[in-house]
Amino acid sequence: MPNGPRANGHLDSRRFRQVLGRFATGVVAITALDPVSGEPCGLAANSFTSVSLDPPLVGFCVAHTSTSWPRVRGAKVVTVNVLAEHQQPVCAQLAAKGGDKFAGLVWTGSPGGNPVLDGALAWLDCAVEAEHPAGDHVIVVARVLQLDTHAEGGPLVFFRGGYGGFVEPA
């Protein structure tokens, strides 16, 4: 089978990441106000999906090692920001470990009071309903309380370990 799939059977974390990197994903920022300090907190994720229309549920995955998730999770409402193609620096800032992740970022409050990042394509205020341990991550299922579009433009896309945009078909 000269043009068929190669069967090498090799599976390790590097190979797993390499193969799954061929699946393009959008990128979101999950934000909240830390209930202890009142300061904005957040993280970047490329594992976001619609789960259910009725009830309206979304899902995303967070690494067990995340130091940001416990701060975000402490809020009653979290906000998912759908990042635009020009927001790769915002994504990098929110994905970095430590420091003030919101330094220099412009945002307004969602109805739930959380940061909606300037330039984000859309936002969703959500209440966390469940967390499911899964390997080295936690799968978070959240009920959408409110949502809206925010800015125009194309999405930030993650593919093969890099960031890019989306060109709409003519």
Side-chain angles (χ1 to χ4, degrees):
M1 203 157 132
N3 293 327
R6 293 180 298 173
N8 73 13
H10 181 69
L11 177 63
D12 61 26
S13 60
R14 188 176 140 277
R15 180 75 174 146
F16 187 69
R17 180 176 281 196
Q18 178 190 36
V19 170
L20 291 184
R22 292 174 179 252
F23 179 69
T25 63
V27 184
V28 298
I30 300 159
T31 62
L33 292 181
D34 184 317
V36 175
S37 68
E39 296 294 317
C41 55
L43 56 97
N46 71 336
S47 56
F48 173 77
T49 189
S50 169
V51 173
S52 169
L53 291 175
D54 188 16
L57 300 173
V58 295
F60 53 89
C61 296
V62 180
H64 282 298
T65 57
S66 172
T67 56
S68 298
W69 177 240
R71 293 182 65 207
V72 173
R73 176 63 176 96
K76 291 184 189 296
V77 174
V78 302
T79 301
V80 176
N81 291 259
V82 178
L83 297 182
E85 60 191 338
H86 68 277
Q87 290 184 299
Q88 194 278 324
V90 173
C91 175
Q93 190 167 327
L94 289 173
K97 295 195 184 311
D100 179 2
K101 293 187 177 199
F102 281 79
L105 295 184
V106 177
W107 59 274
T108 55
S110 71
N114 295 322
V116 173
L117 300 167
D118 187 47
L121 300 179
W123 59 266
L124 303 89
D125 272 348
C126 304
V128 174
E129 290 217 340
E131 294 181 61
H132 305 281
D136 57 4
H137 280 67
V138 173
I139 301 168
V140 179
V141 178
R143 181 181 294 262
V144 178
L145 306 172
Q146 299 181 73
L147 74 167
D148 206 352
T149 57
H150 188 61
E152 294 298 320
L156 181 60
V157 176
F158 188 72
F159 180 71
R160 287 190 170 176
Y163 295 91
F166 174 77
V167 177
E168 291 189 45

